[in-house]
Amino acid sequence: MPEQHPVRIGGSEVTTAESTVVLSPYDGHEVARIPVCGPEHVDRAVAAARAAMAEPLPPWRRAAILDAAADAVAAHRDELAHLIAEEAAKPIRTARTEAERAVLTFQSAAIEARTLTGEVVPMDGAQPGDGKLAFTLRVPRGVVAAISPFNFPLNLVAHKLAPAIAAGCAVVLKPASQTPMSAIRLHEILMDECGLPPGWVNVVTGSGGTVGDPLVEHPDVAVVTFTGSPEVGWGIAAKAARKKVGLELGNNAPLIIDASGDWAAAAAKVSVAGYSHAGQSCISTQRVYVHRSVVEDFTAALVAKVEALVVGDPLDEATDVSALISPGETARVKAWIDDAVREGAQVAAGGEQRDRLLAPTVLSGILPTMEVSANEVFGPVVGIAAFDELDEALGLANDTRYGLQAAIFTKDLDAALRAASELDFGGVLVNEVPTFRTDQMPYGGVGDSGNTKEGPHYAVREMTHERLVVIAR
Ligand code: NAP
C-alpha cells in the first residue's frame, strides 16, 4: 500500500491512522494518500501559529521569504503543474499557467510586505487636534484560517498564504479534500527552500465538517479567508460572527455583445473563457447576451471554435478540456443541459457525455429561469440569448443573485460607460471576457459572490488593522 504523505504542523510532520485517498477525476487512479486530521490537529495548528506570531517576522524578512517563494514556484513550475493536472484534471497547459500565476501572486505580495504602511492623520484640521501629531500603523490581526476550493488548488492557496505572510500573520490552511496535494507541496517548498520558519503556515487536511468547522470557530483565529461556494461561505460567516471573514464565492458570469462589438474576437475569447478547466472557474463565461443583428454570426463562430477543442487526458499537451472534478458533478451538469433543452434551449454544440467527459457545450435560446442561466453551472457550458436593446441586456445581466465580474464587447463609448455604471458586479470589463483576471488586481464580488477583494494589495489590508498613534506636544 502506498505511504501516507504527511502534512506539517509547526515543525513536525503529521500522519494519522486513517488515510484519505486522493483520486484522479479523469481516470480514477490513486494520486496520493493523506492524513485525516481532526479537531485535535486544528488545536495544535492554531497553537503553532500563535507561537510563531509571538516572535514577529520583520517586513524585510517577510519580503525575502515571498521573493524566494516566487523563485521557488517558478523553479518547480512543471512539478506543481503536474500535481494540479493529476488531482484536479486541469489540462496540463492550463495547470502550467496556474503555476506561473502563483509566481506573480508571491511577487506581488513581496511588494506589499516592503511597502505596507498606515497614513498620517491631519489632526490639526480640527481645533481639538491642535498641536497633535498622529499616524496609523498596520498591525497583523492575528492567526488566519485559510480555506480553499478545488478549482485553483495552487494559486488560490497562494492568494491566501502570500498576503498573510506579507501582513505578518501566521496561517492554518485547510485545502479542498479533492485537491490537497498542490497545497501540501507548496507548503513544503516554502519551509524547505524559502526560509519560512515553522508555525507560520500549518496544513490540516480533512473534511469541511471535521476540520473546517473547528477551525472557523476556534477562539484563537482572528481572520477567516474563504474561497468556495456561497452555501458554505455564508454558513462560515454566520459561525464566525466576531472574526474578520473574507468570502470569495460563486458567479454566473454574463457577457454582453452589442451591435458594434467585435463578435469574432469575443467568440475566440469565449471559446477559452467558457471551457478552461471544463468551466470550473468562478468567472467562467456562462451567459452571453448578443445583439440580435449579430447573434447568428457569433454563435456560428463560437460553435466552430468549441467543436475544435480537444477533450481528453489532462496530462496530454494537446488537451483543452478534461473531466469535471467528480462523476456527481458531471451528472449534475448533464442534467442541467437536458433540463434546458426540455425547457426550450437548443444544443448548438456538444451536449453529450462519454464516461467521465462532458463535451464542451453551447446552448442557444437560454431563458433566465433555466438552471444553466439562473445558477452557477461550473461546467463546460455557455448559454446564448439574443437581445434588441442595451437596457434589456443590462437587465438580463443584472438579473442574478451573484455579482463577481461582468463584461461587454462594444465600440460605443456610451454603451461602455453605461455598462460600467449600471452592471452591479465587483468588476466590469470592456472588450474583454468576464473571465479575465490578473493576480495583482482587486478581485471580488457583491451579493452572493462575496464580501471582499483579493489580490495581495487588498488582502493584506483585510488581514491587518490600523492602529492609531497620537503624539501630543
Ligand atoms: P466548496 O464545496 O464550498 O468547498 C470549498 C472549501 O470549503 C473546501 O476546502 C471545503 O472542504 C471547505 N468546507 C466545506 N464545508 C465546510 C465547513 N462547514 N466549514 C469550513 N470549510 C468547509 O467549494 P468547491 O466546490 O471546492 O469550489 C467551487 C466553488 O468555489 C464555486 O462556487 C466557485 O465559484 C467558488 N470559487 C470562487 C472563487 C472566487 O475567487 N470568487 C474562486 C474559485 C472558486 P472539503 O473539500 O473538505 O469539502
Side-chain angles (χ1 to χ4, degrees):
M1 194 185 295
E3 267 182 36
Q4 193 181 78
H5 194 115
V7 291
R8 294 188 190 178
I9 297 177
S12 314
E13 293 200 331
V14 172
T15 53
T16 57
E18 217 188 314
S19 294
T20 298
V21 182
V22 180
L23 300 172
S24 151
Y26 171 65
D27 59 12
H29 79 263
E30 182 174 326
V31 176
R33 284 173 187 238
I34 54 157
V36 180
C37 295
E40 67 280 14
H41 297 103
V42 171
D43 284 342
R44 241 174 97 180
V46 175
R50 277 195 66 173
M53 287 187 72
E55 288 179 44
L57 285 176
W60 62 267
R61 272 196 70 196
R62 302 177 205 166
I65 292 165
L66 292 162
D67 277 339
D71 292 346
V73 171
H76 286 275
R77 181 194 72 159
D78 290 339
E79 176 202 349
L80 291 166
H82 193 275
L83 265 183
I84 297 168
E86 264 204 296
E87 67 178 357
K90 182 171 285 195
I92 187 74
R93 284 180 286 119
T94 320
R96 233 174 259 130
T97 305
E98 179 174 345
E100 284 158 7
R101 283 183 54 187
V103 174
L104 291 177
T105 305
F106 279 108
Q107 283 172 343
S108 149
I111 295 170
E112 295 309 314
R114 287 201 171 85
T115 56
L116 185 64
T117 183
E119 60 184 23
V120 173
V121 183
M123 295 297 279
D124 52 7
Q127 191 276 325
D130 228 1
K132 294 197 167 55
L133 173 68
F135 54 89
T136 62
L137 297 172
R138 283 265 166 203
V139 180
R141 281 185 187 274
V143 173
V144 171
I147 301 178
S148 56
F150 76 81
N151 63 335
F152 285 87
L154 183 73
N155 193 36
L156 288 182
V157 169
H159 266 287
K160 305 202 175 304
L161 302 189
I165 294 168
C169 296
V171 184
V172 179
L173 168 70
K174 191 211 104 50
S177 295
Q178 287 144 317
T179 58
M181 286 311 298
S182 314
I184 291 173
R185 187 68 193 110
L186 175 64
H187 185 206
E188 292 168 353
I189 291 169
L190 290 175
M191 288 187 73
D192 298 345
E193 300 177 29
C194 307
L196 183 74
W200 280 93
V201 174
N202 308 275
V203 175
V204 288
T205 45
S207 74
T210 316
V211 294
D213 279 338
L215 179 57
V216 163
E217 290 170 18
H218 200 291
D220 291 336
V221 164
V223 178
V224 180
T225 167
F226 172 85
T227 303
S229 60
E231 292 65 31
V232 175
W234 292 117
I236 285 174
K239 284 180 221 155
R242 298 180 63 180
K243 303 181 200 295
K244 181 83 178 170
V245 179
L247 303 175
E248 291 281 1
L249 310 174
N251 193 32
N252 55 355
L255 167 65
I256 297 170
I257 302 169
D258 85 353
S260 72
D262 185 342
W263 53 263
K269 289 208 171 204
V270 173
S271 71
V272 179
Y275 305 94
S276 182
H277 197 198
Q280 297 166 117
S281 154
C282 44
I283 38 172
S284 194
T285 301
Q286 180 176 326
R287 304 176 286 146
V288 187
Y289 302 112
V290 190
H291 192 268
R292 199 172 301 281
S293 60
V294 293
V295 71
E296 276 186 24
D297 292 334
F298 169 78
T299 305
L302 178 62
V303 165
K305 293 210 170 290
V306 167
E307 287 182 339
L309 293 173
V310 177
V311 181
D313 185 342
L315 292 173
D316 185 336
E317 289 287 339
T319 297
D320 297 303
V321 177
S322 188
L324 292 181
I325 194 67
S326 67
E329 279 296 280
T330 316
R332 176 188 60 77
V333 177
K334 175 74 170 94
W336 284 19
I337 296 170
D338 294 344
D339 286 349
V341 170
R342 258 192 303 280
E343 291 160 28
Q346 301 89 47
V347 174
E352 68 280 352
Q353 182 183 343
R354 182 167 46 84
D355 298 329
R356 292 174 183 240
L357 296 171
L358 197 55
T361 298
V362 178
L363 295 174
S364 292
I366 58 158
L367 300 172
T369 48
M370 294 173 178
E371 289 274 24
V372 291
S373 177
N375 286 312
E376 181 179 34
V377 173
F378 230 55
V381 182
V382 171
I384 301 171
F387 71 88
D388 296 298
E389 300 295 335
L390 185 60
D391 274 343
E392 184 191 349
L394 293 169
L396 285 163
N398 277 336
D399 182 15
T400 174
R401 65 188 174 108
Y402 297 110
L404 190 47
Q405 293 199 152
I408 185 167
F409 271 75
T410 182
K411 296 196 175 82
D412 177 345
L413 182 59
D414 186 49
L417 292 175
R418 280 198 57 198
S421 83
E422 292 177 36
L423 286 172
D424 192 12
F425 289 77
V428 174
L429 296 99
V430 178
N431 294 326
E432 185 47 271
V433 281
T435 316
F436 176 82
R437 179 181 186 186
T438 174
D439 292 278
Q440 79 279 16
M441 74 185 210
Y443 178 76
V446 297
D448 261 359
S449 291
N451 64 0
T452 191
K453 288 275 195 268
E454 273 192 351
H457 180 74
Y458 308 91
V460 162
R461 279 152 185 80
E462 298 282 291
M463 293 173 181
T464 51
H465 71 85
E466 273 187 288
R467 176 179 297 151
L468 174 72
V469 180
V470 180
I471 302 175
R473 270 196 281 144

